[in-house]
Each structure stands twice: as structure tokens, then as C-alpha cells.
Amino acid sequence: MKVYAINGGPRKGKNTDQMLDSFIKGIAETREDAEIEKVYVYDLKASGCKSCYGCRIKTLDPGQCIVKDGSYELLRKVKNCDGIVIASPIYWWDVTAELRGFLERLFYSMTAMSEDKKRHIETAFIYTMNQPQEVMEKKFTPHFDALDLFMEDAFGTKPERVYSFETLHFDDPNRFVGFSKDLFDYRTKHKEDQFPVDLQNAYDAGRRMAEKL
Ligand SMILES: Cc1cc2nc3c(=O)[nH]c(=O)nc-3n(C[C@H](O)[C@H](O)[C@H](O)COP(=O)(O)O)c2cc1C
């Protein structure tokens, strides 16, 4: 049983990565037979969709992206997995540009595949951001709703969502402009109180995915 855990953020070991690791742990501790491969999109050295329509050419392999860069192999293998969890920090109310580029190709090639070749693939999204939940709900949940729909089209399942809000981005407020000491203190306290809960939520979501696989 194969699961891809895709980190769409640039910072290894930070909030998004920790949430993803917790999700992975939830899977691994629920299904011993789970083979989980973690991928950092920023390491792939790949572009977004080039609109070549190669994934739709009838005489090739419909559903396979033909752009031979760092995403090629992953796009080939992902179609045969059992689960995909995608994590991203929120940049300007959306997922990162690098992840977006990968998703452009993933969605476009997957929707070119014939229905009889598609597998049932469980899906989940993890989002981390420094704005509070109320701001997300008022301003940018439509972005996530759209991603859910594209995932449903591509994989036939509605992704579970896991969030971490008001994350702490750095340790030393004195090094950076634009962050007051009060905000830093608030976020530090929030991290102590809330982040362990968020990690637990990610772990539980991993377990839920594993139970469905
Ligand atoms: C370029 C950039 C844009 C960002 N835009 C948003 C945003 O629109 N909303 C938000 O809540 N946080 C935003 N953030 C904050 C990150 O989403 C947040 O700190 C995230 O948890 C970082 O994850 P990481 O620690 O894994 O890198 C932004 C950060 C960066 C660097």
C-alpha cells in the first residue's frame, strides 16, 4: 500500500513539514504495510504545465505528462498509489507557486486518463498559515474549495482538510522588520498551546486515511 506525502513548502522541518510528519506517523502507526514516500516539491526542479497537451495525445499514453523534468517520474508513479496527502504553507491566500505548478500538471494529466484506468485514491490537504481561522473563512476558503473539486475530479475522493493557524515563523523577533514583540509573544504562546493540538489533528487524520486504505 503506497502513499505519497507531498510537501509544497520550502522550509524543511518547520510548521508544514512537522504537520506532514505527524500525518505520516498516523498512517504508519495504523497500517504496518504502508509504504510512505515523502516528496519536497521545491526539490523537484520542475515547471508548471506547459500546455503542450502531451497528456492528451491519443497515440501516446493519455494521462501521462510528457514534460521530462523533475516532476515527470512522480507524475508517472502517483497514478498507481493508494493515498496522497499534500501539505502547503499558505502564500497570499493560496498554496505556494511551486505546489501550484505541480498541481497544474497533476490535475491536467489525471483528468486525461480514461475512467477504467483510474484507481480509488484517498486524499488529504494540510494547510498552515499565520492568519487566524476567522480570516481564512472570510477571505480565502474558496481557494481550498476549488482545490477539493479538482482533487475529486482527479482521484474520485473528497480530500480531508487539516489546518494549523497563527503559526510561528521564526524564533527571534529582533532580527526582522514588521513583527511587534506583542505579536511574537502572542504567537509563541499560541504555538505552545495550540501547535501540539494541530499535530494531533494531523496524526488523527493520517490514521483516518490509513483506515480507509
Ligand atoms: C510569501 C509568503 C506569503 C504568505 N502569505 C500568507 C497568507 O496569505 N496568509 C497567511 O495566513 N499566512 C501567510 N504566510 C505565512 C505562512 O503561511 C506561515 O508562516 C506558514 O505556516 C509557514 O509554514 P512553514 O513554517 O512550513 O514554512 C505567508 C508567508 C510567506 C513567506
Side-chain angles (χ1 to χ4, degrees):
M1 200 206 55
K2 177 87 184 185
V3 177
Y4 282 97
I6 298 174
N7 186 342
R11 301 202 316 150
K12 292 181 183 171
K14 303 298 183 187
N15 296 284
T16 313
D17 213 18
Q18 287 177 38
M19 289 286 285
L20 186 57
D21 282 346
S22 206
F23 191 103
I24 289 171
K25 195 165 173 233
I27 298 177
E29 291 184 356
T30 312
R31 287 284 300 255
E32 272 183 11
D33 59 339
E35 189 200 320
I36 306 159
E37 188 172 333
K38 189 166 161 187
V39 178
Y40 290 98
V41 168
Y42 275 72
D43 287 346
L44 290 176
K45 306 281 176 279
S47 74
C49 179
K50 290 180 182 284
S51 192
C52 66
Y53 282 68
C55 62
R56 279 148 205 269
I57 293 172
K58 288 181 185 165
T59 51
L60 293 179
D61 179 11
Q64 174 57 54
C65 177
I66 63 164
V67 178
K68 290 222 167 123
D69 65 8
S71 285
Y72 178 81
E73 269 305 304
L74 180 60
L75 288 166
R76 195 177 62 77
K77 290 187 293 187
V78 104
K79 292 180 290 197
N80 298 315
C81 74
D82 302 285
I84 303 175
V85 49
I86 300 175
S88 184
I90 291 309
Y91 285 2
W92 306 118
W93 295 2
D94 215 325
V95 296
T96 65
E98 266 77 0
L99 178 59
R100 188 83 204 173
F102 176 74
L103 293 178
E104 281 170 7
R105 288 168 67 182
L106 179 68
F107 294 150
Y108 213 59
S109 53
M110 283 301 300
T111 51
M113 253 178 113
S114 61
E115 285 304 317
D116 58 309
K117 283 195 183 156
K118 279 190 188 171
R119 290 166 61 97
H120 178 88
I121 298 176
E122 290 300 331
T123 55
F125 270 117
I126 297 171
Y127 299 114
T128 79
M129 65 202 84
N130 59 25
Q131 287 175 307
Q133 182 164 5
E134 310 80 77
V135 175
M136 178 198 77
E137 279 167 3
K138 242 193 236 161
K139 301 196 165 160
F140 53 99
T141 37
H143 296 175
F144 305 154
D145 295 342
L147 286 174
D148 282 2
L149 289 176
F150 298 140
M151 287 292 265
E152 276 185 76
D153 271 359
F155 300 110
T157 54
K158 190 175 165 61
E160 170 154 11
R161 283 189 210 163
V162 187
Y163 303 106
S164 180
F165 301 101
E166 299 183 85
T167 54
L168 185 66
H169 201 78
F170 51 81
D171 298 331
D172 178 3
N174 298 317
R175 280 185 68 211
F176 303 99
V177 294
F179 296 93
S180 68
K181 171 95 173 59
D182 284 353
L183 181 61
F184 178 77
D185 288 347
Y186 169 77
R187 292 248 180 91
T188 303
K189 174 91 178 66
H190 184 81
K191 177 144 194 160
E192 281 164 19
D193 297 343
Q194 185 60 37
F195 199 58
V197 178
D198 298 342
L199 290 174
Q200 182 65 44
N201 287 339
Y203 177 85
D204 293 343
R207 286 186 71 97
R208 278 193 293 278
M209 178 183 275
E211 276 155 11
K212 284 191 255 166
L213 294 170

